[in-house]
Amino acid sequence: MNTEDYPDTNRRALLLGAGILGAGAAGAGLWQARRHGLWERLLNPFAADHFDLPALAGLTDASGAPIPGFSSAGIAGQAVYVNAFASWCPTCREEHPALMEFARSGVKIYGVASLDEPAKTLAFLREQGNPFFKVGVDRKGYLFRALGARGVPAHFVFAPAPKLAFAAQGPMDYAQLRERIAPLLAVPKA
């Protein structure tokens, strides 16, 4: 077979090869985007001024009343401390006693159960105690990602909401919570 007799053969082979390489590159790019959570960041339905977190079903306060979730509209204009956590997170478990103490000092903590199964979150809070004034479920982690964090635990202070006045990632002990969070909420130091 002489390629001069079929001039389109080389062009077709070249186009086919380029198509295969392009599809492979696109597939690798999609895999990397999924691996690094880029889709969740790019297509995130939440923002500091637009989110609505449903309540954790079955979670009640001491009187037996259901603890509600919360939304951006419900905290608008207020100074609010939000803690994103998960029951499976070792550093969240390590931080939990400090959050309990911080809540006992009079701070209202809004909890965001992130990247967790609601049943596991409920079991965790029943076992370890609930420091949260309100708890919203965010199974896909949209809120903490929208606020710039990459994992849990994450801490945010809106002062006033929706203005983000503080953001930090990683566990905090009680002294750090009093030093870094309390002043932003206008909580007197003990």
Side-chain angles (χ1 to χ4, degrees):
M1 177 170 135
N2 187 350
T3 57
E4 291 173 4
D5 294 336
Y6 301 98
D8 290 335
T9 303
N10 287 337
R11 190 176 335 154
R12 285 183 187 151
L14 182 62
L15 289 174
L16 180 62
I20 291 170
L21 284 174
L30 290 171
W31 179 76
Q32 286 292 329
R34 182 179 172 115
R35 182 173 164 230
H36 294 289
L38 296 178
W39 291 123
E40 286 83 6
R41 283 188 236 152
L42 291 173
L43 304 174
N44 192 338
F46 288 170
D49 63 347
H50 179 74
F51 65 88
D52 189 2
L53 300 173
L56 177 61
L59 186 63
T60 58
D61 64 17
S63 71
I67 294 177
F70 62 101
S71 67
S72 53
I75 65 170
Q78 301 175 47
V80 175
Y81 168 44
V82 176
N83 175 266
F85 71 99
S87 67
W88 51 262
C89 165
T91 53
C92 297
R93 288 179 170 271
E94 180 183 300
E95 170 181 82
H96 198 77
L99 293 174
M100 293 292 292
E101 189 174 353
F102 200 41
R104 282 191 295 272
S105 76
V107 175
K108 290 182 179 176
I109 306 170
Y110 288 69
V112 179
S114 299
L115 303 171
D116 207 354
E117 293 294 325
K120 291 180 180 179
T121 302
L122 183 60
F124 170 70
L125 293 176
R126 286 182 173 165
E127 175 187 305
Q128 301 295 320
N130 178 19
F132 304 114
F133 172 65
K134 294 185 178 183
V135 177
V137 175
D138 183 15
R139 291 186 69 181
K140 299 220 182 238
Y142 285 136
L143 184 57
F144 77 80
R145 287 186 180 116
L147 299 176
R150 293 180 179 248
V152 292
H155 309 266
F156 308 99
V157 176
F158 294 99
K163 180 184 173 216
L164 190 60
F166 176 84
Q169 199 165 329
M172 287 193 197
D173 61 24
Y174 180 70
Q176 290 170 316
L177 291 168
R178 294 297 303 171
E179 182 181 307
R180 299 176 77 189
I181 305 291
L184 298 170
L185 300 172
V187 175
K189 289 197 175 200

